[in-house]
Amino acid sequence: MIRAASRPAFILAAAAIALGGCATGNKHAYAGTTPNFAVSGTRVVVVAVRDARSFVMAGERMPDFAGLTRGGAGNPRDILTESGNPLATDFGTTIADALKARGFKTTVLEGSVPGNAEGIAAALKKAGAERLTVVLIEEWQSDTLIDTALVFGLDLQVYDGAGKVLGATR
């Protein structure tokens, strides 16, 4: 039984522990894993990933935001990348590592992706690469209460050295 005099200290300690657990939040690991891609080759490939999520572009969420987890009452808490890096950085590293594991020589393009064929060709020439793989993150957000839903929209384009699209998928 808790005595009346110690009750405020107990409540304060319990609140600090509970709030400390909430403040740390959940993290998802997007780096450090290597998906097994079906393709293989030896070409030099530049990988570029851009985060175009509307809430990140508007500054409503930080670039390391990966989704939400909800408590028993449905109250949301942010899920961030485990690395602390932006989601696009983790995606780029993971894709480059997966391509490397399949024989490609890869590098991750930092900065913006050129918007036209000439710009793409110039970026590839500067990097000494034969291909550019561009992934645009249009939507990526998990939402967990009991089950997890993943809402995503990704756009992939692969360019040759002249800046011509070789393939694309959404």
Side-chain angles (χ1 to χ4, degrees):
M1 180 172 177
I2 300 172
R3 295 186 321 209
S6 65
R7 202 171 291 161
F10 173 76
I11 292 170
L12 185 60
I17 291 169
L19 291 175
C22 292
T24 60
N26 287 328
K27 310 263 183 188
H28 283 182
Y30 292 101
T33 60
T34 305
N36 186 16
F37 288 168
V39 299
S40 62
T42 58
R43 293 188 185 273
V44 179
V45 178
V46 173
V47 175
V49 179
R50 297 295 164 254
D51 194 338
R53 295 177 291 171
S54 60
F55 48 82
V56 172
M57 302 288 284
E60 297 166 6
R61 299 273 188 200
M62 296 302 291
D64 62 343
F65 177 77
L68 298 169
T69 185
R70 298 178 184 276
N75 51 321
R77 291 182 301 207
D78 287 356
I79 298 172
L80 307 175
T81 61
E82 185 177 75
S83 68
N85 293 328
L87 183 65
T89 300
D90 282 359
F91 274 29
T93 302
T94 299
I95 293 166
D97 289 348
L99 289 170
K100 256 184 215 167
R102 301 296 295 177
F104 294 95
K105 296 165 192 69
T106 62
T107 185
V108 178
L109 178 67
E110 300 297 330
S112 63
V113 178
N116 57 32
E118 295 80 25
I120 290 168
L124 285 169
K125 184 175 181 180
K126 182 178 177 184
E130 302 166 83
R131 298 288 185 264
L132 171 63
T133 300
V134 178
V135 177
L136 186 65
I137 305 171
E138 295 172 338
E139 185 66 49
W140 187 275
Q141 179 174 315
S142 65
D143 195 333
T144 303
L145 177 58
I146 296 171
D147 295 321
T148 299
L150 177 62
V151 178
F152 63 94
L154 302 171
D155 184 52
L156 167 70
Q157 294 183 336
V158 178
Y159 297 88
D160 69 8
K164 179 183 171 197
V165 176
L166 295 175
T169 190
R170 291 184 60 77

